[in-house]
Amino acid sequence: RLLRHRVVRQGVEIDMQGFLGALGDYVLLRRGSLATGVGVRVEAPLRVPVRYAAPLGLIVYELVLNAIEHAFVGRQTGTVVLRLRHEEAHLHLEVEDDGRGLPQGFSLERSGARGLPFVRALAAFLKAAVELRSGTGVLWRVSVYVGYTEGEPSSAAASGD
């Protein structure tokens, strides 16, 4: 619903700073007491074709929800940072939390977390590379080839031509 309203107002390219900010706020609101003391910061000063914005938004939703449910257990505060940048015909999405990190021996392929198979499926749909790092917190990096460089018209890439 968030995306539909933005598409109607903004056309085929979405302001990702506003979209991801609203999406992060929505997840925090939906998780209520679990999200008390958790903040979302967005660094995404880009306009992106809806063809990429929609699946990236779903990935962000799942990863922010996962961070709220798992990263900050036993803590009063935490931060999830959403970054999106455009480099050399690729979009690079990062979702990073400052939580407790992943358990020893964690495997994305064997994870029982309900949303992570969905994240993998969305990444496969986008033909995206997914990286996962854990230490003090967790960093997800999703890199998508979009076929245009920043500042170029994205109409051909957005239409799939």
Side-chain angles (χ1 to χ4, degrees):
R1 189 172 175 174
L2 282 169
L3 184 60
R4 184 179 73 217
H5 291 295
R6 289 182 184 279
V7 169
V8 169
R9 288 197 321 261
Q10 297 177 15
V12 295
E13 288 193 333
I14 303 300
D15 165 33
M16 295 302 283
Q17 182 75 27
F19 174 52
L20 295 180
L23 189 58
D25 290 345
Y26 177 76
V27 176
L28 292 176
L29 183 64
R30 287 205 23 104
R31 294 314 297 159
S33 63
L34 274 180
T36 302
V38 175
V40 174
R41 189 174 79 232
V42 180
E43 301 167 8
L46 303 174
R47 293 183 64 80
V48 172
V50 70
R51 172 184 183 176
Y52 302 109
L56 289 173
L58 291 169
I59 289 170
V60 164
Y61 177 88
E62 290 296 335
L63 295 179
V64 171
L65 185 61
N66 193 63
I68 290 168
E69 292 177 349
H70 302 289
F72 307 115
V73 173
R75 289 182 45 186
Q76 297 294 317
T77 62
T79 303
V80 180
V81 180
L82 310 175
R83 292 183 199 91
L84 184 65
R85 67 183 195 286
H86 192 168
E87 271 180 12
E88 300 178 10
H90 287 80
L91 290 174
H92 300 283
L93 170 69
E94 294 181 351
V95 179
E96 183 174 20
D97 68 62
D98 61 358
R100 63 184 180 166
L102 295 171
Q104 190 80 8
F106 176 86
S107 166
L108 180 58
E109 290 74 28
R110 292 177 298 187
S111 169
R114 293 173 293 177
L116 296 185
F118 186 52
V119 169
R120 287 197 322 258
L122 288 164
F125 170 77
L126 289 168
K127 297 180 177 85
V130 178
E131 294 177 54
L132 175 61
R133 294 187 190 158
S134 180
T136 305
V138 173
L139 170 66
W140 291 87
R141 183 174 292 129
V142 179
S143 298
V144 181
Y145 176 76
V146 292
Y148 63 93
T149 57
E150 191 170 9
E152 283 183 350
S154 58
S155 56
S159 66
D161 295 341

